[in-house]
Amino acid sequence: MEQLLWQRVDGRKPDDLRPLKITRNYIKHAEGSVLVELGDTRVICTCTVEDKVPPFQKGTGKGWITAEYAMLPRATHQRSQREAVKGRIGGRTYEIQRLIGRALRAVVDLDLLGERTLTLDCDVIQADGGTRTASITGAFIALADALQGLVEAGTLPGLPLRDYLAAVSVGKVEDRLLLDLCYEEDSRAQVDMNVVMTGQGLLVEVQGTAEDTAFPREELDALLDLASKGIAEMVAYQKQLVVLG
Amino acid sequence: MEQLLWQRVDGRKPDDLRPLKITRNYIKHAEGSVLVELGDTRVICTCTVEDKVPPFQKGTGKGWITAEYAMLPRATHQRSQREAVKGRIGGRTYEIQRLIGRALRAVVDLDLLGERTLTLDCDVIQADGGTRTASITGAFIALADALQGLVEAGTLPGLPLRDYLAAVSVGKVEDRLLLDLCYEEDSRAQVDMNVVMTGQGLLVEVQGTAEDTAFPREELDALLDLASKGIAEMVAYQKQLVVLG
Amino acid sequence: MEQLLWQRVDGRKPDDLRPLKITRNYIKHAEGSVLVELGDTRVICTCTVEDKVPPFQKGTGKGWITAEYAMLPRATHQRSQREAVKGRIGGRTYEIQRLIGRALRAVVDLDLLGERTLTLDCDVIQADGGTRTASITGAFIALADALQGLVEAGTLPGLPLRDYLAAVSVGKVEDRLLLDLCYEEDSRAQVDMNVVMTGQGLLVEVQGTAEDTAFPREELDALLDLASKGIAEMVAYQKQLVVLG
Amino acid sequence: MEQLLWQRVDGRKPDDLRPLKITRNYIKHAEGSVLVELGDTRVICTCTVEDKVPPFQKGTGKGWITAEYAMLPRATHQRSQREAVKGRIGGRTYEIQRLIGRALRAVVDLDLLGERTLTLDCDVIQADGGTRTASITGAFIALADALQGLVEAGTLPGLPLRDYLAAVSVGKVEDRLLLDLCYEEDSRAQVDMNVVMTGQGLLVEVQGTAEDTAFPREELDALLDLASKGIAEMVAYQKQLVVLG
Amino acid sequence: MEQLLWQRVDGRKPDDLRPLKITRNYIKHAEGSVLVELGDTRVICTCTVEDKVPPFQKGTGKGWITAEYAMLPRATHQRSQREAVKGRIGGRTYEIQRLIGRALRAVVDLDLLGERTLTLDCDVIQADGGTRTASITGAFIALADALQGLVEAGTLPGLPLRDYLAAVSVGKVEDRLLLDLCYEEDSRAQVDMNVVMTGQGLLVEVQGTAEDTAFPREELDALLDLASKGIAEMVAYQKQLVVLG
Amino acid sequence: MEQLLWQRVDGRKPDDLRPLKITRNYIKHAEGSVLVELGDTRVICTCTVEDKVPPFQKGTGKGWITAEYAMLPRATHQRSQREAVKGRIGGRTYEIQRLIGRALRAVVDLDLLGERTLTLDCDVIQADGGTRTASITGAFIALADALQGLVEAGTLPGLPLRDYLAAVSVGKVEDRLLLDLCYEEDSRAQVDMNVVMTGQGLLVEVQGTAEDTAFPREELDALLDLASKGIAEMVAYQKQLVVLG
């Protein structure tokens, strides 16, 4: 009963997603681009197509998907120093951009893509928790739009996408398990987990971390259930925008 | 007659500005923030207030205004590499951010500001020429909003702004003198000039460059006339948003 | 039956760990140090105690645990370039050293530690898969030895350790689920997962990644079962070396 | 009357240049080299010829002119840290070297030059104001000497120079308009302007900056008149050294 | 008499070497590898063979020998910051790795080696003085083993080694001349000298430095005598491991 | 006989120095400054006095002497890239500037100097071999002049210099032993040695290197004799400029 009446800081129930909105064709120069908004988290995702591949893919006939991630200095409560000013990219940024690239590659058929590279730039213009998962969910649409452009130009015979892809954060805050943490919740989380899944509900990435004290296997299971629910809702939204063969 | 019938690539007359739009309170965390749009050029300008000054201002009782400028990788036709990835900020970026900071300082009374620093971050999300001048015109509003916040909080007795401030590019393209060059014009310009002026029409910065061949003094004069016209229109727009003492 | 007869490249069964050996007091200058060997993977872990904390912990009375990770250039089959020569630390290194530090902090009572920092340096001198999990398992002993030194010097009243901590990799290779992947297996893995658990079997970190195609929830469960078995064996080994309250 | 009696810190009248001296063949290895002295400002300018062009010029048949600028650490009153020690080139340096290269390109026929690059290195060994304009004035002679060498070697049929080129600073100090500011004047200037002109008096670059308060258009005009006078004197000096077709 | 009774901090006589031990095949992936121990100084030396040469050797038919040197952070009494974290390699490291490469090249016939590069990585895992000289003495064996591998594979007709090579430090401490300084002696040395010699007793490198006050030529001579004695003992040890034509 | 008739590339005898010239007060801002010329090698040496010491000297009452060394890009036959452009200082530069600082410290009484740092900047404007030794010989005079200034200002009671200091290169070229190698000789040297000595003929630094093949002890002795002769001549020159107590 108490659980039913209890409300999160923004009035949501434990298993509520924040409003998701994806605006397509947001940047005119890019082959694919969206503004993805998940509550107050806003990320510009662009997809760039280039006819080259990294050295390790050369001559294989396969393509590549890579990602870069950054925040504007004032996306956050306190202004953060630009990584270009520091002269180097920080550890957190590296982790996130490797995650985004890896996740997207899991639903792309790199053989069908051919020897070209698609670069997803995810630039957070306003941050309120869940920037990396919102980036994945939005970047999937920017990627699909860029691929659709290649199909329409006759460069590709069909979309080399195996499935939809979305991601969400879940966590334990004050001993409650919550879906889609906002910044205020995330900063107090005891367990923090990011989950990436396909449209069919298969796992692509699970990253669960005890921030303070270790947690039992049953909580991992319950958090995965929450994430599955949230991702299913996100994929339903994506299906309104993009139709896969 | 030919001059009258002649049209620019986007249908403008030689002395037409592109549509200017400044959306305030664009980023919720910043003390001041706008999205400035000048035709297809779009820049997010935020203003951050911090209670510290650079070493050379310490103990003087004076404040400081500084700026940083960057482009998202896909703000441009071709994706450009992030400066954070290169590990260093390029020469063009340095020139532009020094210009923005210097220009804004010309209309701020640093004594009245007190020992605090206001940092203007100008991040270009879509580029179509004139990004540095649009940044100055938009950053002025973000700055004024942040200063107004300090007044409303009782930190400052009044706005330490001496005047409005706006900037525009002018140039010579195919031997015609044009106001507010778009990218397509800018890339073919024979003379390229950026002008920053106050609301009263005083000069703050004049940067004129012959791209290819030198130009006579009379053309400098005519270009300054065009810039004065454009800046007067921009200041009229700014006056609808911000009222100075 | 086929499953029973089937052997891994090094003759192990699917749920076999490689031989684990931890040699203590390996480097004479360090407050704690081990050589950890897991099959052919060999890592030197040292623990350094310093009476200072990062800025965000200052004045809190709490301590901090951090980690750095590196490989000697010829720890790997092909010589890899030193990160000092490149002038920057790579994304993979950042991910791993953040993981090691975070994992160890989960079993340390930072309040009892007081305002001091313990730095775990994990330097891989020979790599054969599982370097990050071997680092965690070995670093725990180097950390415990350094803390024991503080207890013996009267600096700390007791060991600020809540539990044992060990880590192992698991994965899917040629559709078989395996414990403790060697390099040859890891390079062909379809799913790759690193798990960190406490002596009591609680989860500290779960990082599962589909390298190629997404995987069902049941496989996640089976992989976690394998990891639990392996970690329990590692903790049994650790208990022979270190006794917690 | 007061204006007539008034003297500058070094005894000059408002429209006096400091003594200009250009010593040719100053460095034996370079294809062109000078020591340029403007009062106490001393700059070594060398010109290096290389048979390659930047990527954007490849295959165009056109050459390129570029410049680098630096100060010895003790060229200034206070020792300044080397940029090599800082690990990066500062914003001011970028601005200046871009200016020097751009200015020289305005009088060179890049088509006649052919696919080769001339690099002008301007190293300030003693600074007393006007280092960037002295660099341009001196670099023009180093460039002309290097080009003359190419003509004499039969590599070029004639000098690919369209005109002479010189530069000078002007400014407003204590409400007086002055030609060729020394450091002591420059550090107190209200308006600071650098002007680059050709031998025929055409403008190549105008960079005027209000350091403190904005200035009216009439002052811009008067400063340009002063600059024209100074540059004409410099070009007269250059004509004694180099004869253009 | 006093000289005879006098003992060094570790009980050695002035002309005693510390115990030298070289363990071969220490790292399984490398073409040659040793752990060299000189008292408490321990260094891992690996030799990597690659079929490429630096630009200045291309097309000459000659090979190249190069070296890199580093210390683990806790090889020293106080933890030292990683050079990868600082983002640059320090002056001391550069000096040492240039010395190691140069010294080894003096006994290798680069013509016989052919166009390939052998890279010696010397990583100090525990430091107690003499790390650079121990590195040279150990690297010679790693190099010889890698070259022997090329001979056995039929790539080279014979070992392209002209002679054995070893190095030792000597110095003046409290006015006594000592062979093979340990850290405690080295930190108080008035004169510090590193000597590299061949098996036949020829000089390859002499680096003598007055740390505090200058020294007479006779002391240089006596120090060279001590070094000759120590190196002869080291070469005798090497001859047990490697046989040259 | 043949030896007597034999001449070096520039007509010198084997034991001839090139003409040495030291011009004092070369840069007006520096506390001490010279232009040192040794044949065609020309180096500007400045000495800067600052009232601070490095961390390891703080509170000891002792001063410090340090040095930085650089070459202008076109000091050499081929233009070399600026280290500021590369973003890091190379190994050769580190070696040389450490050598210069160490050598000068050997003749300064750091206790008498008090807690201040003297920085010697040695910038090579034209290189023809022997740049590091010419730097030391010239920097000694710049240092002495800066110290004399401190004496004259009453800051120091007397010159804290123990002796004169000079340096020279010697080497074996085509089996002949030569004093003061020019670039053409240095580039073909079989043995290359730099020697730093005091006015009294004591050794401060000996760095001898076999470039190609090892050399016998007798050649080391003969090279040291040559160096002693050359340094004695340099010190005689220095005595005309500076008088020590």
Side-chain angles (χ1 to χ4, degrees):
Chain A
M1 186 62 192
E2 186 258 356
Q3 174 81 12
L4 290 179
L5 295 177
W6 181 79
Q7 282 194 337
R8 293 162 71 173
V9 287
D10 52 8
R12 282 186 287 157
K13 286 184 292 176
D15 64 349
D16 276 353
L17 275 187
R18 289 175 289 176
L20 171 67
K21 182 179 172 193
I22 297 178
T23 306
R24 291 157 85 188
N25 301 318
Y26 190 68
I27 300 296
K28 73 170 185 173
H29 304 306
E31 283 76 46
S33 67
V34 306
L35 173 69
V36 56
E37 300 174 82
L38 185 65
D40 280 339
T41 288
R42 287 151 62 192
V43 187
I44 296 174
C45 306
T46 62
C47 182
T48 296
V49 180
E50 289 168 301
D51 281 335
K52 60 178 186 187
V53 285
F56 57 84
Q57 290 292 75
K58 272 195 187 133
T60 63
K62 290 185 173 187
W64 193 244
I65 308 288
T66 187
E68 295 192 6
Y69 168 96
M71 282 202 185
L72 295 201
R74 205 51 203 282
T76 48
H77 283 76
Q78 306 295 320
R79 183 176 186 275
S80 50
Q81 198 185 16
R82 288 173 196 270
E83 295 187 322
V85 171
K86 292 184 206 169
R88 61 190 193 82
I89 292 178
R92 179 183 173 275
T93 298
Y94 272 120
E95 265 189 55
I96 294 175
Q97 60 195 23
R98 283 161 57 92
L99 167 64
I100 298 171
R102 205 163 56 214
L104 292 168
R105 284 194 297 273
V107 291
V108 176
D109 188 321
L110 298 178
D111 288 299
L112 292 187
L113 181 55
E115 286 205 15
R116 50 183 60 86
T117 295
L118 277 67
T119 301
L120 281 300
D121 283 291
C122 300
D123 286 89
V124 180
I125 62 174
Q126 191 170 276
D128 189 27
T131 62
R132 80 187 70 185
T133 51
S135 293
I136 290 170
T137 304
F140 174 79
I141 300 299
L143 172 66
D145 283 353
L147 290 170
Q148 183 61 35
L150 291 173
V151 172
E152 286 167 11
T155 307
L156 293 181
L159 273 184
L161 286 172
R162 297 195 190 112
D163 204 343
Y164 294 88
L165 185 85
V168 79
S169 78
V170 289
K172 181 163 76 163
V173 183
E174 292 179 6
D175 295 322
R176 290 178 203 270
L177 305 186
L178 306 179
L179 174 65
D180 184 22
L181 309 189
C182 67
Y183 175 77
E184 201 276 331
E185 292 167 338
D186 186 62
S187 62
R188 292 180 297 122
Q190 300 154 293
V191 177
D192 181 21
M193 190 150 86
N194 292 296
V195 182
V196 186
M197 293 175 77
T198 65
Q200 295 175 47
L202 295 175
L203 289 162
V204 170
E205 189 97 19
V206 176
Q207 294 193 340
T209 301
E211 290 298 326
D212 189 39
T213 50
F215 60 102
R217 178 89 172 259
E218 301 78 53
E219 286 188 3
L220 178 73
D221 289 335
L223 287 169
L224 284 169
D225 290 343
L226 271 179
S228 298
K229 173 183 180 294
I231 289 172
E233 291 173 26
M234 286 174 153
V235 168
Y237 183 94
Q238 289 178 330
K239 287 183 175 171
Q240 297 169 28
L241 305 180
V242 170
V243 178
L244 299 189
Chain B
M1 187 62 194
E2 184 260 357
Q3 173 81 11
L4 291 177
L5 294 177
W6 182 78
Q7 283 196 337
R8 293 162 70 174
V9 286
D10 50 8
R12 282 187 287 157
K13 286 182 292 174
D15 65 348
D16 277 351
L17 274 187
R18 289 175 289 175
L20 171 67
K21 182 178 173 193
I22 298 178
T23 306
R24 291 156 85 187
N25 302 316
Y26 190 69
I27 299 297
K28 73 171 185 174
H29 303 307
E31 283 75 44
S33 68
V34 307
L35 173 68
V36 55
E37 300 173 83
L38 183 66
D40 279 339
T41 288
R42 286 151 63 192
V43 188
I44 297 174
C45 306
T46 61
C47 182
T48 296
V49 180
E50 289 169 300
D51 282 335
K52 61 179 185 188
V53 284
F56 57 83
Q57 289 292 73
K58 271 197 188 132
T60 62
K62 291 184 174 187
W64 192 243
I65 308 288
T66 187
E68 295 191 5
Y69 169 96
M71 281 202 186
L72 294 201
R74 205 50 203 283
T76 46
H77 283 76
Q78 305 295 320
R79 183 177 187 273
S80 50
Q81 198 185 16
R82 288 172 194 272
E83 295 188 322
V85 170
K86 293 184 206 167
R88 61 193 192 81
I89 292 178
R92 180 183 171 275
T93 299
Y94 274 119
E95 265 190 53
I96 294 175
Q97 59 195 23
R98 284 160 57 92
L99 167 65
I100 299 171
R102 205 164 56 214
L104 291 168
R105 285 195 296 275
V107 291
V108 176
D109 187 323
L110 298 177
D111 287 299
L112 292 186
L113 181 55
E115 286 205 15
R116 50 183 62 85
T117 296
L118 275 68
T119 302
L120 280 301
D121 283 292
C122 299
D123 286 89
V124 180
I125 64 175
Q126 192 170 277
D128 189 26
T131 62
R132 78 187 70 186
T133 50
S135 293
I136 290 170
T137 304
F140 174 79
I141 301 298
L143 172 66
D145 283 352
L147 290 170
Q148 183 61 33
L150 292 174
V151 172
E152 285 167 12
T155 307
L156 292 181
L159 274 183
L161 286 172
R162 296 195 191 112
D163 203 344
Y164 294 87
L165 185 86
V168 79
S169 77
V170 287
K172 180 163 77 164
V173 182
E174 293 179 4
D175 294 322
R176 290 178 202 269
L177 305 186
L178 305 180
L179 173 64
D180 184 22
L181 310 189
C182 67
Y183 175 77
E184 202 275 333
E185 292 167 337
D186 186 62
S187 62
R188 292 180 297 123
Q190 299 153 292
V191 178
D192 181 21
M193 189 152 86
N194 292 295
V195 182
V196 186
M197 293 176 76
T198 66
Q200 296 174 46
L202 295 176
L203 289 162
V204 170
E205 188 98 18
V206 176
Q207 294 193 340
T209 301
E211 291 298 327
D212 189 37
T213 49
F215 58 104
R217 178 91 171 258
E218 301 77 54
E219 285 189 4
L220 179 74
D221 290 334
L223 288 169
L224 285 168
D225 291 342
L226 272 180
S228 298
K229 172 182 181 293
I231 288 173
E233 291 173 28
M234 286 175 153
V235 169
Y237 182 95
Q238 289 179 329
K239 286 184 175 170
Q240 298 169 27
L241 304 180
V242 170
V243 178
L244 299 190
Chain C
M1 188 61 193
E2 184 259 358
Q3 173 80 15
L4 291 177
L5 294 178
W6 181 79
Q7 283 194 338
R8 294 163 69 173
V9 286
D10 51 7
R12 283 187 287 156
K13 286 183 291 175
D15 65 348
D16 277 351
L17 275 186
R18 289 175 289 176
L20 171 67
K21 182 178 172 193
I22 297 178
T23 306
R24 291 157 85 186
N25 302 317
Y26 190 69
I27 299 297
K28 73 170 185 174
H29 304 306
E31 283 76 44
S33 67
V34 306
L35 172 69
V36 55
E37 300 174 82
L38 184 66
D40 279 339
T41 288
R42 288 152 62 192
V43 187
I44 297 174
C45 306
T46 61
C47 181
T48 296
V49 179
E50 288 169 301
D51 282 335
K52 61 178 185 187
V53 284
F56 58 83
Q57 288 292 74
K58 271 195 188 133
T60 63
K62 290 185 173 186
W64 192 244
I65 309 289
T66 187
E68 295 192 4
Y69 168 96
M71 282 202 185
L72 294 201
R74 204 51 203 282
T76 47
H77 283 76
Q78 305 296 320
R79 183 176 187 274
S80 50
Q81 198 185 18
R82 289 173 195 271
E83 295 187 322
V85 171
K86 292 184 208 169
R88 60 191 193 81
I89 292 178
R92 178 182 173 275
T93 298
Y94 273 119
E95 266 190 54
I96 294 175
Q97 60 194 23
R98 284 161 56 93
L99 167 65
I100 298 171
R102 205 163 57 213
L104 292 168
R105 285 194 297 274
V107 292
V108 176
D109 188 322
L110 298 178
D111 287 298
L112 292 186
L113 180 56
E115 285 204 16
R116 51 184 60 84
T117 296
L118 276 68
T119 301
L120 279 301
D121 283 292
C122 299
D123 286 89
V124 179
I125 62 175
Q126 191 170 276
D128 189 27
T131 62
R132 78 187 72 186
T133 51
S135 293
I136 291 170
T137 304
F140 175 79
I141 300 299
L143 172 66
D145 283 353
L147 290 169
Q148 184 61 34
L150 291 173
V151 171
E152 286 166 11
T155 307
L156 292 181
L159 274 184
L161 285 173
R162 297 194 190 113
D163 204 344
Y164 294 88
L165 184 86
V168 80
S169 77
V170 286
K172 181 164 75 165
V173 183
E174 292 180 5
D175 295 322
R176 291 179 201 269
L177 305 187
L178 305 179
L179 174 64
D180 184 22
L181 309 189
C182 67
Y183 175 77
E184 202 275 333
E185 293 167 338
D186 187 62
S187 61
R188 293 181 297 123
Q190 301 153 292
V191 177
D192 181 21
M193 189 151 87
N194 292 295
V195 181
V196 187
M197 293 177 75
T198 66
Q200 295 174 47
L202 296 175
L203 289 163
V204 170
E205 189 95 20
V206 176
Q207 294 193 340
T209 300
E211 290 299 326
D212 189 38
T213 50
F215 59 103
R217 179 90 172 258
E218 301 78 54
E219 286 189 3
L220 179 73
D221 289 335
L223 288 169
L224 285 168
D225 291 342
L226 272 180
S228 298
K229 173 181 180 295
I231 288 173
E233 291 173 26
M234 287 175 151
V235 168
Y237 182 95
Q238 288 179 330
K239 286 183 176 171
Q240 297 169 27
L241 304 179
V242 170
V243 178
L244 298 190
Chain D
M1 187 62 194
E2 184 259 356
Q3 174 80 12
L4 291 178
L5 295 177
W6 181 78
Q7 283 194 336
R8 293 162 69 174
V9 287
D10 50 9
R12 282 187 288 157
K13 286 183 290 174
D15 63 350
D16 277 352
L17 275 187
R18 290 176 288 176
L20 171 67
K21 182 178 173 196
I22 298 179
T23 306
R24 291 157 86 188
N25 302 317
Y26 191 69
I27 299 297
K28 73 170 185 173
H29 303 307
E31 283 75 46
S33 67
V34 307
L35 172 70
V36 55
E37 300 174 82
L38 184 65
D40 280 339
T41 289
R42 286 152 63 192
V43 187
I44 297 174
C45 305
T46 61
C47 182
T48 297
V49 180
E50 289 169 302
D51 282 333
K52 60 178 185 187
V53 285
F56 58 83
Q57 288 293 73
K58 271 193 189 134
T60 63
K62 290 184 175 187
W64 192 243
I65 309 288
T66 187
E68 296 194 4
Y69 168 97
M71 280 202 187
L72 294 201
R74 204 51 202 283
T76 47
H77 283 76
Q78 306 295 320
R79 183 176 187 274
S80 51
Q81 198 184 16
R82 288 173 196 271
E83 295 187 322
V85 170
K86 292 184 205 167
R88 62 192 192 80
I89 293 177
R92 180 182 171 278
T93 299
Y94 273 120
E95 265 189 54
I96 294 175
Q97 60 195 23
R98 284 160 57 91
L99 167 64
I100 299 170
R102 205 164 55 215
L104 291 168
R105 285 194 295 275
V107 291
V108 177
D109 187 321
L110 299 177
D111 287 298
L112 292 187
L113 181 56
E115 286 205 15
R116 51 183 60 86
T117 295
L118 277 67
T119 302
L120 280 301
D121 283 291
C122 299
D123 286 88
V124 180
I125 64 174
Q126 192 171 274
D128 189 28
T131 62
R132 79 187 69 185
T133 50
S135 294
I136 290 170
T137 304
F140 174 78
I141 300 299
L143 172 66
D145 283 352
L147 290 170
Q148 183 61 33
L150 291 173
V151 172
E152 286 166 11
T155 308
L156 293 181
L159 274 185
L161 286 172
R162 297 194 190 112
D163 203 344
Y164 294 88
L165 185 86
V168 78
S169 77
V170 287
K172 180 164 75 165
V173 183
E174 291 180 6
D175 294 323
R176 290 178 203 270
L177 305 187
L178 305 179
L179 173 65
D180 184 21
L181 310 188
C182 67
Y183 175 77
E184 202 275 332
E185 293 167 337
D186 186 63
S187 62
R188 291 180 297 123
Q190 299 153 294
V191 177
D192 182 21
M193 189 150 86
N194 292 296
V195 181
V196 186
M197 294 175 77
T198 66
Q200 297 175 46
L202 295 176
L203 289 162
V204 170
E205 189 96 19
V206 176
Q207 293 193 341
T209 300
E211 290 299 326
D212 189 37
T213 50
F215 59 103
R217 178 91 171 258
E218 301 79 53
E219 286 188 3
L220 178 73
D221 290 334
L223 288 169
L224 285 168
D225 290 343
L226 272 180
S228 298
K229 172 182 181 295
I231 288 172
E233 292 173 26
M234 288 175 151
V235 169
Y237 183 94
Q238 289 178 330
K239 286 182 176 172
Q240 298 170 26
L241 305 180
V242 170
V243 177
L244 299 190
Chain E
M1 187 62 194
E2 185 258 357
Q3 173 81 12
L4 291 178
L5 294 177
W6 181 79
Q7 282 196 336
R8 293 163 70 174
V9 287
D10 51 8
R12 283 187 287 156
K13 286 184 293 176
D15 64 349
D16 277 351
L17 275 187
R18 290 175 289 176
L20 171 67
K21 182 177 173 194
I22 297 179
T23 306
R24 291 156 84 187
N25 302 317
Y26 191 69
I27 299 296
K28 73 170 185 174
H29 303 307
E31 282 76 44
S33 67
V34 306
L35 173 68
V36 55
E37 300 174 82
L38 184 65
D40 280 340
T41 289
R42 285 151 64 193
V43 188
I44 297 174
C45 306
T46 61
C47 182
T48 296
V49 180
E50 289 169 301
D51 281 335
K52 61 178 184 187
V53 284
F56 58 84
Q57 289 292 73
K58 271 194 189 134
T60 63
K62 291 184 174 186
W64 192 243
I65 309 288
T66 187
E68 296 192 4
Y69 168 96
M71 282 201 185
L72 294 201
R74 205 52 202 283
T76 47
H77 283 77
Q78 306 295 320
R79 182 176 187 275
S80 50
Q81 198 184 16
R82 288 173 195 271
E83 295 187 322
V85 169
K86 292 185 206 167
R88 61 192 192 82
I89 292 178
R92 180 183 172 276
T93 299
Y94 273 119
E95 264 189 55
I96 295 175
Q97 59 196 23
R98 283 160 57 93
L99 167 65
I100 299 171
R102 203 163 56 214
L104 292 167
R105 284 194 297 273
V107 290
V108 176
D109 187 323
L110 299 178
D111 287 297
L112 292 186
L113 181 55
E115 287 204 14
R116 50 183 62 85
T117 295
L118 275 68
T119 302
L120 279 302
D121 283 290
C122 300
D123 286 89
V124 180
I125 65 175
Q126 192 170 274
D128 189 28
T131 61
R132 79 187 71 186
T133 50
S135 293
I136 290 170
T137 304
F140 174 79
I141 300 299
L143 172 66
D145 283 353
L147 290 170
Q148 183 60 34
L150 292 173
V151 171
E152 287 166 11
T155 307
L156 292 181
L159 274 185
L161 285 173
R162 298 196 189 109
D163 204 343
Y164 294 88
L165 185 85
V168 79
S169 76
V170 287
K172 179 162 77 164
V173 183
E174 293 178 6
D175 295 322
R176 290 178 202 270
L177 305 186
L178 305 179
L179 173 64
D180 184 22
L181 310 188
C182 67
Y183 176 77
E184 202 276 331
E185 292 167 338
D186 186 62
S187 61
R188 293 181 296 123
Q190 300 154 293
V191 178
D192 181 22
M193 189 151 87
N194 291 296
V195 181
V196 186
M197 293 175 77
T198 65
Q200 296 175 47
L202 295 175
L203 289 163
V204 170
E205 188 97 19
V206 175
Q207 293 193 341
T209 301
E211 290 298 325
D212 190 37
T213 50
F215 60 102
R217 177 89 172 259
E218 301 78 52
E219 285 188 4
L220 178 74
D221 289 335
L223 288 169
L224 285 168
D225 290 343
L226 272 180
S228 298
K229 172 182 182 294
I231 288 173
E233 292 173 27
M234 287 174 152
V235 169
Y237 182 94
Q238 289 178 331
K239 287 183 174 170
Q240 298 169 28
L241 305 180
V242 170
V243 177
L244 299 189
Chain F
M1 188 62 194
E2 185 259 357
Q3 174 79 12
L4 291 178
L5 294 177
W6 182 79
Q7 282 195 337
R8 294 163 69 174
V9 286
D10 50 8
R12 284 187 286 157
K13 286 183 291 175
D15 64 349
D16 277 350
L17 275 186
R18 290 176 288 176
L20 171 67
K21 181 178 173 194
I22 298 179
T23 307
R24 291 156 85 187
N25 302 316
Y26 191 69
I27 300 296
K28 74 170 185 174
H29 303 307
E31 283 75 45
S33 67
V34 307
L35 173 69
V36 55
E37 299 174 82
L38 184 65
D40 279 339
T41 288
R42 286 151 64 192
V43 187
I44 297 174
C45 306
T46 61
C47 182
T48 297
V49 180
E50 289 169 301
D51 282 333
K52 61 178 186 189
V53 284
F56 57 83
Q57 288 293 72
K58 272 195 187 132
T60 63
K62 290 184 175 186
W64 193 243
I65 309 289
T66 187
E68 295 192 5
Y69 168 96
M71 281 202 187
L72 294 201
R74 203 52 202 282
T76 47
H77 283 76
Q78 305 295 320
R79 184 177 186 272
S80 50
Q81 197 184 19
R82 288 173 195 272
E83 295 187 322
V85 170
K86 294 185 204 168
R88 61 194 192 80
I89 292 177
R92 179 182 172 277
T93 299
Y94 273 120
E95 265 189 55
I96 294 175
Q97 60 195 22
R98 284 159 58 91
L99 167 65
I100 299 171
R102 204 164 57 215
L104 292 167
R105 285 194 297 274
V107 290
V108 176
D109 187 323
L110 299 178
D111 287 299
L112 292 187
L113 181 56
E115 286 205 15
R116 51 184 60 85
T117 295
L118 276 68
T119 301
L120 279 301
D121 283 292
C122 299
D123 287 87
V124 180
I125 64 174
Q126 191 170 277
D128 189 29
T131 62
R132 79 187 70 187
T133 50
S135 293
I136 290 170
T137 303
F140 174 78
I141 300 298
L143 173 65
D145 282 352
L147 290 170
Q148 183 61 33
L150 292 173
V151 172
E152 286 166 11
T155 307
L156 292 181
L159 274 185
L161 285 173
R162 297 195 190 112
D163 203 344
Y164 293 88
L165 184 86
V168 80
S169 76
V170 287
K172 181 163 75 164
V173 183
E174 292 179 6
D175 294 322
R176 291 178 203 268
L177 306 186
L178 305 179
L179 173 65
D180 185 22
L181 310 189
C182 66
Y183 175 78
E184 202 276 333
E185 293 167 337
D186 187 62
S187 61
R188 293 180 296 123
Q190 299 153 294
V191 177
D192 180 22
M193 189 151 87
N194 292 296
V195 182
V196 186
M197 293 176 77
T198 65
Q200 296 175 46
L202 296 175
L203 289 162
V204 171
E205 189 95 20
V206 176
Q207 294 193 342
T209 300
E211 289 299 325
D212 189 38
T213 50
F215 59 103
R217 179 88 171 258
E218 301 78 54
E219 286 188 2
L220 178 73
D221 289 335
L223 288 169
L224 284 168
D225 291 342
L226 272 181
S228 297
K229 172 181 182 295
I231 289 173
E233 291 172 27
M234 287 173 151
V235 169
Y237 183 95
Q238 289 179 330
K239 285 184 177 172
Q240 298 169 27
L241 305 180
V242 170
V243 178
L244 298 191

